[in-house]
Coordinates of all heavy atoms in Angstrom, one line a residue:
E1 N 13.9 -8.5 9.3 CA 13.6 -7.2 9.9 C 12.9 -6.2 9.0 O 12.0 -5.5 9.4 CB 15.0 -6.5 10.5 CG 14.7 -5.3 11.1 CD 16.1 -4.7 11.5 OE1 17.0 -5.5 12.1 OE2 16.3 -3.5 11.3
D2 N 13.4 -6.1 7.8 CA 12.7 -5.3 6.8 C 11.3 -5.5 6.6 O 10.4 -4.6 6.5 CB 13.6 -5.2 5.4 CG 14.7 -4.3 5.4 OD1 14.8 -3.4 6.2 OD2 15.6 -4.5 4.6
E3 N 11.1 -6.9 6.4 CA 9.7 -7.2 6.2 C 8.7 -6.8 7.3 O 7.5 -6.6 7.2 CB 9.5 -8.6 5.9 CG 10.0 -9.0 4.5 CD 9.6 -10.1 3.9 OE1 8.4 -10.6 4.0 OE2 10.5 -10.9 3.1
A4 N 9.1 -6.7 8.6 CA 8.4 -6.3 9.7 C 8.0 -4.8 9.7 O 6.8 -4.4 10.1 CB 9.2 -6.5 11.0
R5 N 8.7 -4.1 8.9 CA 8.6 -2.5 8.7 C 7.8 -2.2 7.4 O 7.4 -1.1 7.5 CB 9.8 -1.8 8.8 CG 10.5 -1.9 10.2 CD 11.9 -1.1 10.3 NE 12.0 -0.2 9.0 CZ 13.5 0.0 8.7 NH1 14.4 -0.3 9.4 NH2 13.5 0.8 7.6
Y6 N 7.8 -3.1 6.6 CA 7.3 -2.9 5.2 C 6.1 -3.9 4.8 O 6.1 -4.9 5.4 CB 8.4 -2.9 4.3 CG 9.5 -1.9 4.5 CD1 10.8 -2.3 4.9 CD2 9.2 -0.5 4.2 CE1 11.7 -1.4 5.3 CE2 10.3 0.4 4.5 CZ 11.4 0.0 5.0 OH 12.5 0.9 5.4
G7 N 5.4 -3.4 3.8 CA 4.3 -4.3 3.4 C 3.1 -3.5 3.1 O 3.1 -2.3 3.1
L8 N 1.9 -4.2 3.0 CA 0.7 -3.5 2.8 C 0.1 -3.0 4.1 O 0.1 -3.7 5.2 CB -0.3 -4.6 2.1 CG -1.6 -4.1 1.6 CD1 -1.2 -3.2 0.4 CD2 -2.5 -5.2 1.2
Q9 N -0.1 -1.7 4.0 CA -0.7 -1.1 5.3 C -2.2 -0.6 4.9 O -2.3 0.3 4.2 CB 0.2 0.1 5.5 CG 1.7 -0.3 5.9 CD 2.6 0.9 5.8 OE1 2.3 1.9 5.4 NE2 3.7 0.5 6.3
L10 N -3.1 -1.3 5.6 CA -4.5 -0.9 5.3 C -4.9 0.2 6.2 O -4.6 0.3 7.3 CB -5.5 -2.1 5.5 CG -5.2 -3.4 4.7 CD1 -5.7 -4.6 5.4 CD2 -5.7 -3.2 3.2
E11 N -5.7 1.1 5.5 CA -6.1 2.4 6.3 C -7.2 2.0 7.2 O -8.0 1.1 7.0 CB -6.6 3.4 5.2 CG -5.5 3.9 4.5 CD -5.9 5.3 3.7 OE1 -7.1 5.5 3.7 OE2 -5.0 6.0 3.2
D12 N -7.3 2.9 8.2 CA -8.4 2.7 9.1 C -9.7 2.9 8.4 O -9.7 3.7 7.5 CB -8.4 3.7 10.2 CG -7.2 3.4 11.2 OD1 -6.7 2.3 11.4 OD2 -6.8 4.3 12.0
G13 N -10.7 2.0 8.6 CA -11.9 2.1 8.0 C -12.0 1.4 6.6 O -13.1 1.5 6.0
W14 N -11.0 0.8 6.1 CA -10.9 0.1 4.9 C -12.0 -1.0 4.8 O -12.6 -1.0 3.8 CB -9.6 -0.4 4.5 CG -9.2 -1.7 5.1 CD1 -8.7 -1.8 6.3 CD2 -9.6 -3.0 4.7 NE1 -8.5 -3.1 6.6 CE2 -9.1 -3.9 5.7 CE3 -10.1 -3.4 3.5 CZ2 -9.3 -5.2 5.6 CZ3 -10.3 -4.9 3.4 CH2 -9.8 -5.7 4.4
R15 N -12.2 -1.7 5.8 CA -13.2 -2.8 5.9 C -14.7 -2.2 5.8 O -15.4 -2.8 5.0 CB -13.1 -3.7 7.1 CG -14.0 -4.9 7.0 CD -13.6 -5.9 8.2 NE -12.3 -6.3 8.5 CZ -11.9 -7.3 7.8 NH1 -12.4 -8.0 6.8 NH2 -10.4 -7.6 8.0
E16 N -14.9 -1.2 6.5 CA -16.2 -0.6 6.4 C -16.5 -0.1 5.0 O -17.7 -0.2 4.5 CB -16.3 0.6 7.4 CG -16.3 0.0 9.0 CD -14.9 -0.2 9.5 OE1 -13.9 0.1 8.8 OE2 -14.9 -0.7 10.6
A17 N -15.5 0.6 4.4 CA -15.6 1.0 3.1 C -15.8 -0.1 2.0 O -16.8 0.0 1.1 CB -14.5 1.9 2.6
A18 N -15.2 -1.1 2.3 CA -15.3 -2.2 1.4 C -16.7 -2.9 1.5 O -17.3 -3.4 0.6 CB -14.2 -3.3 1.8
E19 N -17.2 -3.1 2.8 CA -18.5 -3.5 3.2 C -19.7 -2.7 2.5 O -20.6 -3.2 2.0 CB -18.6 -3.9 4.6 CG -17.7 -5.2 5.0 CD -17.7 -5.2 6.5 OE1 -18.3 -4.4 7.3 OE2 -17.2 -6.3 6.9
A20 N -19.4 -1.4 2.6 CA -20.5 -0.5 2.2 C -20.5 -0.5 0.6 O -21.6 -0.3 0.2 CB -20.0 0.9 2.7
S21 N -19.6 -0.7 0.0 CA -19.6 -0.7 -1.6 C -18.7 -1.9 -2.0 O -17.6 -1.6 -2.6 CB -19.1 0.6 -2.0 OG -19.9 1.6 -1.6
P22 N -19.2 -3.1 -1.9 CA -18.4 -4.3 -2.3 C -18.0 -4.3 -3.7 O -17.0 -5.0 -4.0 CB -19.2 -5.5 -1.9 CG -20.7 -4.9 -1.8 CD -20.6 -3.5 -1.5
E23 N -18.7 -3.6 -4.6 CA -18.2 -3.5 -6.0 C -16.9 -2.8 -6.3 O -16.4 -2.8 -7.3 CB -19.4 -3.0 -6.9 CG -19.8 -1.6 -6.8 CD -20.5 -1.1 -5.5 OE1 -20.9 -2.1 -4.7 OE2 -20.8 0.1 -5.4
L24 N -16.7 -1.9 -5.3 CA -15.4 -1.0 -5.4 C -14.2 -1.8 -5.1 O -14.2 -2.5 -4.1 CB -15.4 0.2 -4.6 CG -16.7 1.2 -4.9 CD1 -16.8 2.4 -4.0 CD2 -16.6 1.6 -6.3
P25 N -13.1 -1.7 -6.0 CA -11.8 -2.4 -5.6 C -11.1 -1.7 -4.5 O -11.3 -0.6 -4.2 CB -11.0 -2.4 -6.9 CG -11.6 -1.1 -7.6 CD -13.1 -0.9 -7.2
L26 N -10.1 -2.4 -4.0 CA -9.2 -1.9 -3.0 C -8.2 -1.1 -3.8 O -7.6 -1.6 -4.8 CB -8.5 -2.9 -2.1 CG -7.4 -2.5 -1.2 CD1 -7.9 -1.5 0.0 CD2 -6.7 -3.7 -0.6
V27 N -8.0 0.1 -3.4 CA -7.1 0.9 -4.2 C -5.8 0.9 -3.4 O -5.6 1.3 -2.2 CB -7.5 2.5 -4.3 CG1 -6.4 3.3 -5.0 CG2 -8.7 2.5 -5.1
V28 N -4.6 0.6 -4.0 CA -3.3 0.4 -3.2 C -2.4 1.4 -3.9 O -2.1 1.5 -5.1 CB -2.7 -1.1 -3.4 CG1 -1.4 -1.1 -2.7 CG2 -3.7 -2.1 -2.8
L29 N -1.9 2.4 -3.0 CA -0.9 3.2 -3.4 C 0.5 2.7 -3.3 O 0.9 2.1 -2.1 CB -0.8 4.6 -2.5 CG 0.3 5.5 -2.7 CD1 0.0 6.3 -3.9 CD2 0.3 6.4 -1.5
V30 N 1.3 2.6 -4.4 CA 2.7 2.1 -4.3 C 3.6 3.4 -4.6 O 3.5 4.0 -5.7 CB 2.9 1.1 -5.4 CG1 4.4 0.6 -5.4 CG2 2.0 -0.1 -5.3
H31 N 4.3 3.8 -3.6 CA 5.1 5.0 -3.6 C 6.3 4.8 -4.7 O 6.7 3.7 -5.0 CB 5.7 5.4 -2.2 CG 6.7 4.5 -1.7 ND1 8.0 4.4 -2.0 CD2 6.5 3.5 -0.7 CE1 8.6 3.4 -1.4 NE2 7.7 2.9 -0.5
G32 N 6.8 5.9 -5.1 CA 7.9 5.9 -6.1 C 9.2 5.7 -5.5 O 9.4 5.6 -4.3
F33 N 10.2 5.8 -6.4 CA 11.7 5.8 -5.9 C 12.0 6.9 -4.9 O 11.5 7.9 -5.1 CB 12.5 5.8 -7.2 CG 14.0 5.8 -6.8 CD1 14.6 4.6 -6.4 CD2 14.8 7.0 -6.9 CE1 15.9 4.6 -6.0 CE2 16.1 7.0 -6.5 CZ 16.7 5.8 -6.1
N34 N 12.5 6.5 -3.8 CA 13.2 7.4 -2.9 C 12.1 8.1 -2.1 O 12.1 9.4 -2.0 CB 14.2 8.3 -3.6 CG 15.2 8.8 -2.5 OD1 15.5 8.2 -1.5 ND2 16.0 9.8 -2.8
S35 N 10.9 7.5 -1.9 CA 9.8 8.1 -1.4 C 9.2 7.3 -0.3 O 9.7 6.1 0.0 CB 8.8 8.5 -2.4 OG 7.7 9.3 -1.9
T36 N 8.0 7.6 0.2 CA 7.3 6.8 1.2 C 5.8 7.0 1.0 O 5.4 8.0 0.4 CB 7.6 7.3 2.6 OG1 7.0 8.6 2.8 CG2 9.1 7.2 3.0
P37 N 5.0 6.0 1.5 CA 3.6 6.3 1.4 C 3.1 7.6 2.1 O 2.2 8.3 1.6 CB 3.0 5.1 2.1 CG 4.0 4.1 2.0 CD 5.3 4.9 2.1
Q38 N 3.6 7.9 3.1 CA 3.3 9.2 3.9 C 3.7 10.4 3.0 O 2.7 11.4 3.1 CB 4.2 9.3 5.2 CG 3.8 8.3 6.2 CD 4.5 6.9 6.0 OE1 5.4 6.8 5.1 NE2 4.1 5.8 6.5
R39 N 4.6 10.4 2.3 CA 4.9 11.6 1.3 C 3.9 11.6 0.3 O 3.8 12.8 -0.5 CB 6.3 11.6 0.8 CG 7.3 11.7 1.8 CD 8.7 11.5 1.3 NE 9.1 12.6 0.4 CZ 10.2 12.7 -0.2 NH1 11.1 11.6 -0.2 NH2 10.4 13.6 -1.0
N40 N 3.1 10.6 -0.1 CA 2.2 10.6 -1.1 C 0.7 10.4 -0.7 O -0.1 10.2 -1.5 CB 2.5 9.5 -2.1 CG 3.9 9.7 -2.7 OD1 4.0 10.4 -3.7 ND2 4.9 9.0 -2.4
A41 N 0.5 10.5 0.6 CA -0.8 10.2 1.2 C -1.9 11.2 0.5 O -3.0 10.8 0.3 CB -0.7 10.5 2.6
A42 N -1.6 12.3 0.2 CA -2.6 13.3 -0.5 C -3.2 12.7 -1.7 O -4.4 13.0 -2.1 CB -2.0 14.7 -0.8
V43 N -2.4 11.8 -2.4 CA -3.0 11.2 -3.6 C -4.3 10.4 -3.3 O -5.2 10.4 -4.2 CB -1.9 10.4 -4.3 CG1 -2.5 9.6 -5.5 CG2 -0.7 11.3 -4.7
L44 N -4.4 9.8 -2.1 CA -5.4 9.0 -1.9 C -6.8 9.8 -1.4 O -7.9 9.2 -1.3 CB -5.1 7.9 -0.8 CG -4.1 6.9 -1.2 CD1 -3.8 5.9 -0.1 CD2 -4.8 6.1 -2.3
E45 N -6.6 11.0 -1.0 CA -7.7 11.8 -0.4 C -9.0 11.8 -1.3 O -10.1 11.4 -0.8 CB -7.1 13.2 -0.1 CG -6.3 13.2 1.1 CD -5.8 14.7 1.5 OE1 -6.7 15.6 1.2 OE2 -4.8 14.8 2.1
P46 N -8.8 12.2 -2.5 CA -10.0 12.2 -3.4 C -10.5 10.7 -3.6 O -11.9 10.4 -3.8 CB -9.7 12.8 -4.7 CG -8.2 12.7 -4.8 CD -7.8 12.7 -3.3
I47 N -9.8 9.9 -3.6 CA -10.1 8.3 -3.8 C -10.9 7.8 -2.6 O -12.0 7.3 -2.6 CB -8.9 7.4 -4.3 CG1 -8.3 7.9 -5.4 CG2 -9.4 6.0 -4.2 CD1 -6.9 7.4 -5.7
R48 N -10.4 8.1 -1.4 CA -11.0 7.8 -0.2 C -12.3 8.5 0.0 O -13.3 7.9 0.5 CB -10.0 8.2 1.1 CG -10.5 7.7 2.4 CD -9.5 8.3 3.5 NE -8.1 8.0 3.1 CZ -7.2 8.9 2.9 NH1 -7.6 10.2 2.8 NH2 -5.9 8.6 2.7
D49 N -12.3 9.8 -0.3 CA -13.6 10.5 -0.3 C -14.7 10.1 -1.2 O -15.9 10.3 -1.0 CB -13.3 12.1 -0.7 CG -12.3 12.8 0.3 OD1 -12.3 12.3 1.5 OD2 -11.9 13.8 0.1
A50 N -14.3 9.3 -2.3 CA -15.3 8.9 -3.2 C -15.7 7.4 -2.6 O -16.6 6.9 -3.3 CB -14.6 8.6 -4.6
G51 N -15.3 7.0 -1.6 CA -15.8 5.8 -0.9 C -15.0 4.6 -1.2 O -15.3 3.4 -0.7
Y52 N -13.9 4.6 -1.8 CA -13.0 3.4 -2.1 C -12.2 3.1 -0.8 O -11.7 4.0 -0.3 CB -12.0 3.7 -3.3 CG -12.6 3.8 -4.6 CD1 -13.2 5.1 -5.1 CD2 -12.6 2.7 -5.4 CE1 -13.9 5.0 -6.4 CE2 -13.3 2.8 -6.7 CZ -13.8 3.8 -7.1 OH -14.4 3.9 -8.3
P53 N -12.1 1.8 -0.5 CA -11.2 1.3 0.5 C -9.6 1.5 -0.1 O -9.5 1.2 -1.1 CB -11.6 -0.2 0.6 CG -12.3 -0.6 -0.7 CD -12.9 0.7 -1.2
C54 N -8.9 2.0 0.9 CA -7.4 2.4 0.4 C -6.5 1.6 1.4 O -6.7 1.4 2.6 CB -7.3 3.8 0.4 SG -8.4 4.7 -0.7
A55 N -5.3 1.5 0.7 CA -4.1 0.9 1.4 C -2.9 1.6 0.8 O -2.9 2.1 -0.3 CB -4.1 -0.6 1.4
S56 N -1.8 1.3 1.6 CA -0.5 1.8 0.9 C 0.5 0.7 1.1 O 0.3 -0.2 2.0 CB 0.1 3.0 1.7 OG -0.8 4.0 1.5
F57 N 1.4 0.5 0.1 CA 2.4 -0.4 0.1 C 3.7 0.1 0.3 O 4.2 1.1 -0.4 CB 2.5 -1.3 -1.2 CG 3.6 -2.4 -1.2 CD1 3.5 -3.5 -0.4 CD2 4.6 -2.1 -2.1 CE1 4.6 -4.3 -0.4 CE2 5.7 -3.1 -2.1 CZ 5.7 -4.2 -1.3
A58 N 4.4 -0.1 1.4 CA 5.8 0.4 1.7 C 6.8 -0.7 1.5 O 6.6 -1.8 1.7 CB 5.7 0.9 3.2
Y59 N 7.8 -0.2 0.8 CA 9.0 -1.1 0.6 C 10.4 -0.2 0.8 O 10.4 1.0 0.6 CB 8.9 -1.7 -0.8 CG 9.1 -0.7 -2.0 CD1 10.2 -0.4 -2.5 CD2 7.8 0.0 -2.3 CE1 10.3 0.6 -3.6 CE2 7.9 1.0 -3.4 CZ 9.2 1.2 -3.9 OH 9.2 2.1 -5.0
P60 N 11.4 -0.9 1.1 CA 12.7 -0.1 1.4 C 13.3 0.2 -0.1 O 13.3 -0.6 -1.1 CB 13.5 -1.1 1.9 CG 12.8 -2.5 2.2 CD 11.4 -2.4 1.5
N61 N 13.8 1.5 -0.2 CA 14.3 2.0 -1.4 C 15.5 1.4 -1.9 O 15.8 1.4 -3.0 CB 14.4 3.5 -1.3 CG 13.1 4.3 -1.3 OD1 12.2 4.0 -2.0 ND2 13.1 5.2 -0.3
D62 N 16.2 0.6 -1.0 CA 17.5 0.1 -1.3 C 17.3 -1.3 -1.9 O 18.2 -2.1 -2.0 CB 18.6 0.1 -0.1 CG 18.1 -0.5 1.2 OD1 16.8 -0.8 1.2 OD2 18.8 -0.5 2.0
W63 N 16.1 -1.9 -1.8 CA 15.8 -3.3 -2.3 C 15.9 -3.3 -3.7 O 15.6 -2.4 -4.5 CB 14.4 -3.7 -1.9 CG 14.4 -4.3 -0.5 CD1 15.3 -4.2 0.6 CD2 13.5 -5.2 0.0 NE1 15.0 -5.0 1.6 CE2 13.8 -5.5 1.3 CE3 12.2 -5.7 -0.5 CZ2 13.0 -6.5 2.2 CZ3 11.4 -6.4 0.3 CH2 11.8 -6.8 1.7
D64 N 16.2 -4.4 -4.4 CA 16.0 -4.7 -5.8 C 14.6 -4.6 -6.0 O 13.8 -5.2 -5.3 CB 16.7 -6.1 -6.1 CG 16.6 -6.4 -7.5 OD1 15.6 -6.8 -8.0 OD2 17.6 -6.2 -8.3
L65 N 14.3 -4.1 -7.2 CA 12.7 -4.0 -7.6 C 12.1 -5.4 -7.6 O 10.9 -5.5 -7.2 CB 12.7 -3.2 -8.9 CG 11.1 -2.9 -9.4 CD1 10.6 -2.1 -8.2 CD2 11.1 -2.2 -10.6
R66 N 12.9 -6.4 -8.0 CA 12.3 -7.7 -8.1 C 11.8 -8.2 -6.6 O 10.8 -8.8 -6.4 CB 13.1 -8.7 -8.7 CG 13.4 -8.5 -10.1 CD 14.4 -9.3 -10.7 NE 15.6 -8.8 -10.1 CZ 16.9 -8.9 -10.7 NH1 16.9 -9.5 -11.9 NH2 17.9 -8.5 -10.1
E67 N 12.8 -7.8 -5.7 CA 12.3 -8.2 -4.1 C 11.1 -7.6 -3.7 O 10.2 -8.0 -3.0 CB 13.6 -8.0 -3.4 CG 14.8 -8.7 -3.6 CD 15.9 -8.2 -2.7 OE1 15.6 -7.8 -1.6 OE2 17.0 -8.3 -3.2
A68 N 11.0 -6.2 -4.1 CA 9.9 -5.4 -3.6 C 8.7 -5.9 -4.3 O 7.5 -5.9 -3.6 CB 10.3 -3.9 -3.9
S69 N 8.8 -6.2 -5.6 CA 7.5 -6.6 -6.3 C 7.0 -8.0 -5.8 O 5.9 -8.3 -5.6 CB 7.7 -6.7 -7.7 OG 8.8 -7.5 -8.1
A70 N 8.0 -8.9 -5.3 CA 7.7 -10.2 -4.8 C 7.0 -10.0 -3.4 O 6.0 -10.7 -3.1 CB 9.0 -11.0 -4.6
L71 N 7.4 -9.0 -2.6 CA 6.8 -8.7 -1.2 C 5.4 -8.3 -1.5 O 4.4 -8.7 -0.9 CB 7.6 -7.7 -0.5 CG 7.0 -7.3 0.8 CD1 7.0 -8.4 1.7 CD2 7.9 -6.2 1.4
L72 N 5.2 -7.4 -2.5 CA 3.9 -6.8 -2.7 C 2.9 -8.1 -3.3 O 1.8 -8.2 -2.9 CB 3.8 -5.9 -3.9 CG 2.5 -5.2 -4.5 CD1 1.7 -4.7 -3.3 CD2 2.7 -4.3 -5.6
S73 N 3.4 -8.9 -4.1 CA 2.6 -10.1 -4.6 C 2.2 -10.9 -3.5 O 1.1 -11.4 -3.4 CB 3.5 -10.9 -5.6 OG 2.8 -12.0 -5.9
R74 N 3.2 -11.2 -2.4 CA 2.7 -12.0 -1.3 C 1.7 -11.4 -0.6 O 0.8 -12.1 -0.1 CB 4.1 -12.4 -0.4 CG 4.9 -13.3 -1.0 CD 6.1 -13.6 0.0 NE 6.8 -12.7 0.5 CZ 7.9 -12.2 0.0 NH1 8.3 -12.6 -1.2 NH2 8.6 -11.2 0.7
W75 N 1.8 -10.2 -0.3 CA 0.7 -9.3 0.5 C -0.6 -9.2 -0.1 O -1.7 -9.5 0.5 CB 1.2 -8.0 0.9 CG 2.0 -7.8 2.0 CD1 3.3 -7.8 2.1 CD2 1.6 -7.6 3.4 NE1 4.0 -7.6 3.3 CE2 2.7 -7.6 4.1 CE3 0.5 -7.7 3.9 CZ2 2.7 -7.5 5.5 CZ3 0.4 -7.5 5.3 CH2 1.5 -7.5 6.0
L76 N -0.6 -9.1 -1.5 CA -1.9 -9.1 -2.1 C -2.5 -10.6 -2.2 O -3.8 -10.5 -2.3 CB -1.7 -8.6 -3.6 CG -1.3 -7.2 -3.8 CD1 -1.0 -6.7 -5.2 CD2 -2.3 -6.2 -3.1
R77 N -1.6 -11.7 -2.2 CA -2.3 -13.0 -2.2 C -2.9 -13.1 -0.7 O -3.9 -13.8 -0.5 CB -1.3 -14.0 -2.4 CG -1.1 -14.2 -3.9 CD -0.3 -15.4 -4.2 NE 1.1 -14.8 -4.6 CZ 2.3 -15.1 -4.2 NH1 2.4 -16.2 -3.5 NH2 3.3 -14.5 -4.6

């Protein structure tokens, strides 16, 4: 159930940004402890404005860090 709510969340328009500038990497925001991607969304504004494709990674705060990092690894593969 948790994995259905969490994971890599690609922003609208990420594919267009990636195709427009294929040399630019996908920027992934990983929120901090006891937070969410939504609470940190402003961090991506200047990055998005510079034309970088963006995504956020959401994970449950009550998971062991090893579990959350394994989930991120699966999504990035």
Side-chain angles (χ1 to χ4, degrees):
E1 177 181 319
D2 277 340
E3 287 199 36
R5 294 182 4 206
Y6 300 104
L8 194 64
Q9 301 164 349
L10 298 164
E11 291 192 348
D12 291 339
W14 77 271
R15 185 176 306 277
E16 292 81 5
E19 289 172 353
S21 299
E23 71 281 359
L24 297 178
L26 173 67
V27 176
V28 178
L29 170 75
V30 179
H31 65 82
F33 176 72
N34 212 14
S35 190
T36 66
Q38 295 78 15
R39 290 177 67 189
N40 295 285
V43 171
L44 288 178
E45 287 180 27
I47 300 166
R48 189 182 311 108
D49 291 345
Y52 286 82
C54 297
S56 296
F57 176 70
Y59 63 94
N61 289 319
D62 58 350
W63 274 18
D64 182 279
L65 187 55
R66 290 172 293 210
E67 293 175 39
S69 60
L71 178 62
L72 175 58
S73 178
R74 286 194 302 274
W75 275 96
L76 291 176
R77 276 188 254 138

